[in-house]
């Protein structure tokens, strides 16, 4: 039995069966490349759903991790540590907000934003107790906590996990008229992804976030901008909202903030919102820990110093054009911004998964989302030559004469 098969059998036996990964077992990574336990090399075109924008084991981030690991790793928030301040200062300067609240995972940061918006609603906007409403979008993905899956429109994410928290209203994505109609006197926030990632790389109409912000500002509703997947350079701007000149009232960040080595997330807001939090209102044992803070500071520095948003714009525009040029019996649409790209497979060609398997067999790792979409999101440090390698294989797999699908 190959080592790959042995590892997969072990995981099948000992792990909860809550995932169905591609049958590849990775043991090493460097930059845009990863190696499996049987010595095969792959180009990582998924980058852990944009958590590895800086590439695997970026030397500056690993150096920060190792240096900090040799000094101090965890204090809890019962005491101060000397890394959190410099990290949050840098995060605020990079995003333009007054204050940051550090957490660890994306879902925790989303929960933090929901709590901030509700408390702001009661204390600042004057919404009657327990009446606050938050508007969300159909086809959203914001994480897996019981509150968050409670307002998912995906049957499987909810099925068997109720009862769910009240106070959420769902509207169609990309529809600003629906947003205007849904807002009532007790609405405190609108939670939105500037491009829906898990929903299938759904790009809203041009100017969406700008109109969203205008409507919300006029109605005293906070925009909770979930940039966990789209942020930190992925879409060709520092934040995807920058395409429309808006970053929201609460900016939610995660994934690449940890540089692919450590879970680091958080929310950013100005004083009028962040001042609703007082000691004891909210927190996390690990949030703001010195190891994560050192990693977060280095991760941000790499994105800025290496100009990763510009790189994503240039290479992403190039790659999207080349993907659209592929003569293919299977591709319905190529969409995205920067290096956040979805290749939608036609229904009659079957699901996207067999195409991802064929890519994997040829040394290209990406995965499928929403059944029909191949998600392409390489580390932003990728070179044009490396993208050409991927493009040749993608052309072979989805183009005329493809080894997959009916045609
Ligand atoms: N918001 C957005 C927009 C996301 O894409 C989250 C929140 C939640 O982040 P955490 O760190 O709690 O997973 C995401 C996560 C998965 C999975 O395996 C999650 C994401 C993408 C792909 C797979 O649950 N995005």
């Amino acid at each position: 039995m190959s080592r790959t098969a042995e590892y997969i059998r072990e995981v099948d036996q000992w792990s909860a069966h809550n995932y169905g990964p591609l049958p590849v077992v990775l043991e090493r990574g460097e930059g845009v490349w990863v190696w499996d336990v049987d010595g095969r090399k792959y180009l990582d075109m998924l980058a852990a759903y944009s958590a590895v924008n800086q590439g695997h084991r970026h030397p500056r981030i690993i150096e920060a991790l190792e240096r900090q690991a040799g000094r101090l790793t965890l204090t809890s928030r019962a005491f101060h540590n000397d890394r959190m301040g410099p990290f949050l200062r840098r995060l605020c300067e990079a995003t333009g907000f007054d204050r940051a609240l550090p957490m660890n995972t994306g879902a925790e940061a989303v929960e933090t934003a929901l709590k901030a918006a509700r408390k702001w609603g009661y204390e600042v906007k004057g919404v009657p107790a327990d009446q606050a409403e938050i508007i969300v979008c159909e086809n959203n993905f914001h994480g897996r906590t019981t509150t968050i899956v409670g307002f998912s429109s995906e049957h499987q994410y909810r099925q068997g996990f109720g009862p769910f928290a009240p106070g959420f209203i769902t509207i169609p994505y990309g529809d600003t008229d629906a947003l205007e109609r849904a807002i009532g006197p007790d609405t405190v926030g609108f939670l939105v992804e500037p491009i829906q990632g898990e929903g299938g790389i759904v790009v809203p109409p041009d100017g969406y976030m700008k109109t969203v912000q205008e409507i919300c500002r006029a109605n005293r509703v906070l925009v909770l901008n979930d940039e966990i997947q789209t942020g930190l350079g992925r879409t060709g701007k520092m934040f995807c909202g920058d395409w429309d000149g808006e970053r929201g009232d609460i900016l939610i960040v995660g994934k690449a903030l940890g540089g692919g080595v450590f879970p680091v997330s958080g929310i950013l807001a100005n004083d009028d919102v962040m001042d609703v939090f007082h000691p004891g209102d909210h927190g996390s044992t690990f949030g703001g820990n010195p190891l994560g803070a050192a990693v977060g500071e280095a991760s941000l520095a790499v994105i800025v110093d290496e100009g990763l948003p510009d790189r994503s714009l240039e290479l992403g525009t190039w790659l999207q054009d080349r993907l659209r040029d592929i003569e293919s019996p299977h591709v319905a649409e190529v969409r995205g911004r920067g290096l956040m790209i979805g290749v939608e497979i036609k229904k009659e060609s079957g699901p996207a998964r067999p195409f991802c398997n064929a890519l994997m067999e040829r040394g290209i790792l990406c995965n499928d989302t929403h059944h029909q979409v191949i998600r392409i999101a390489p580390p932003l440090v990728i070179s044009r030559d490396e993208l050409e390698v991927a493009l040749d294989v993608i052309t072979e797999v989805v183009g005329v004469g493809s080894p997959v699908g009916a045609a």
Side-chain angles (χ1 to χ4, degrees):
M1 197 189 281
S2 68
R3 293 183 68 203
T4 294
E6 280 172 37
Y7 278 107
I8 292 175
R9 204 184 53 176
E10 186 178 41
V11 153
D12 262 355
Q13 179 175 350
W14 297 104
S15 169
H17 293 162
N18 57 329
Y19 275 96
L22 290 183
V24 58
V25 182
L26 302 174
E27 66 171 11
R28 191 160 69 85
E30 187 173 330
V32 298
W33 299 98
V34 288
W35 287 262
D36 77 6
V37 290
D38 287 313
R40 283 180 295 252
K41 182 182 177 185
Y42 303 83
L43 189 54
D44 180 1
M45 293 291 282
L46 179 66
Y49 305 108
S50 298
V52 190
N53 285 357
Q54 300 91 338
H56 291 277
R57 297 191 304 111
H58 191 291
R60 268 180 84 183
I61 301 172
I62 295 299
E63 198 208 323
L65 176 85
E66 288 178 350
R67 200 179 337 114
Q68 191 57 37
R71 293 177 65 221
L72 179 70
T73 56
L74 184 63
T75 55
S76 84
R77 293 291 301 272
F79 314 118
H80 290 276
N81 71 70
D82 68 348
R83 302 307 317 178
M84 193 175 100
F87 166 49
L88 298 187
R89 178 196 182 117
R90 181 156 209 143
L91 185 57
C92 288
E93 285 172 355
T95 56
F97 287 89
D98 293 340
R99 284 173 198 282
L101 197 169
M103 300 294 285
N104 312 284
T105 65
E108 282 177 319
V110 171
E111 292 276 356
T112 304
L114 297 173
K115 286 175 75 173
R118 283 182 171 173
K119 201 145 194 275
W120 173 88
Y122 299 127
E123 292 192 354
V124 180
K125 185 168 175 172
V127 170
D130 294 337
Q131 298 301 307
E133 283 173 353
I134 292 176
I135 300 171
V136 301
C137 290
E138 269 166 24
N139 199 42
N140 70 66
F141 189 91
H142 298 287
R144 301 285 199 163
T145 65
T146 50
T147 294
I148 293 171
V149 299
F151 56 75
S152 172
S153 53
E154 188 74 23
H155 177 74
Q156 194 197 351
Y157 295 168
R158 300 163 53 89
Q159 180 60 28
F161 300 122
F164 298 118
F168 297 95
I169 294 173
T170 305
I171 62 168
Y173 184 62
D175 184 342
T176 50
D177 291 339
L179 174 62
E180 214 155 12
R181 281 196 303 274
I183 291 174
D186 298 334
T187 308
V188 298
F190 175 49
L191 173 64
V192 63
E193 298 157 87
I195 291 177
Q196 288 187 328
E198 291 318 288
I201 319 294
V202 183
V203 183
D206 283 348
Y208 178 57
M209 291 300 283
K210 185 170 185 339
T211 310
V212 160
Q213 190 75 57
E214 283 165 5
I215 291 169
C216 288
R217 194 174 290 128
N219 289 281
R220 287 191 87 204
V221 169
L222 301 177
V223 176
L224 282 50
N225 180 19
D226 183 346
E227 296 248 15
I228 287 167
Q229 191 166 156
T230 53
L232 302 171
R234 173 52 57 187
T235 71
K237 304 274 186 194
M238 187 62 169
F239 291 96
C240 187
D242 295 358
W243 284 93
D244 294 333
E246 298 291 350
R247 290 184 175 177
D249 301 296
I250 300 179
L251 177 64
I252 312 172
V253 289
K255 293 200 194 284
L257 192 55
V261 311
F262 208 81
V264 183
S265 72
I267 67 164
L268 290 124
N270 287 336
D271 288 339
D272 56 330
V273 174
M274 209 65 106
D275 283 350
V276 303
F277 284 120
H278 302 292
D281 284 346
H282 188 58
S284 153
T285 307
F286 291 93
N289 70 79
L291 194 57
V295 164
E297 195 181 343
S299 302
L300 266 178
V302 167
I303 290 166
V304 173
D305 294 351
E306 298 191 11
L308 296 187
D310 286 346
R311 212 184 157 78
S312 172
L313 182 62
E314 186 194 324
L315 293 175
T317 306
W318 176 84
L319 181 61
Q320 286 189 44
D321 287 345
R322 294 292 82 72
L323 289 168
R324 289 191 186 99
D325 287 345
I326 297 174
E327 202 186 317
S328 168
H330 303 301
V331 173
E333 190 185 28
V334 174
R335 54 179 182 255
R337 279 194 178 132
L339 281 169
M340 182 171 187
I341 303 173
V343 176
E344 182 166 342
I345 298 296
K346 291 177 185 164
K347 283 257 161 55
E348 56 266 35
S349 295
R353 186 62 181 257
F355 291 90
C356 293
N357 281 321
L359 289 168
M360 182 196 77
E361 285 158 14
R362 290 160 180 77
I364 301 293
L365 291 183
C366 48
N367 86 338
D368 53 315
T369 175
H370 245 239
H371 316 292
Q372 294 311 122
V373 183
I374 305 173
R375 181 209 315 258
I376 297 179
L380 305 181
V381 294
I382 198 164
S383 71
R384 173 83 164 261
D385 286 350
E386 288 158 342
L387 280 180
E388 304 241 18
V389 170
L391 187 64
D392 285 348
V393 177
I394 295 168
T395 304
E396 183 192 335
V397 167
V398 303
V400 175
S402 157
V404 185

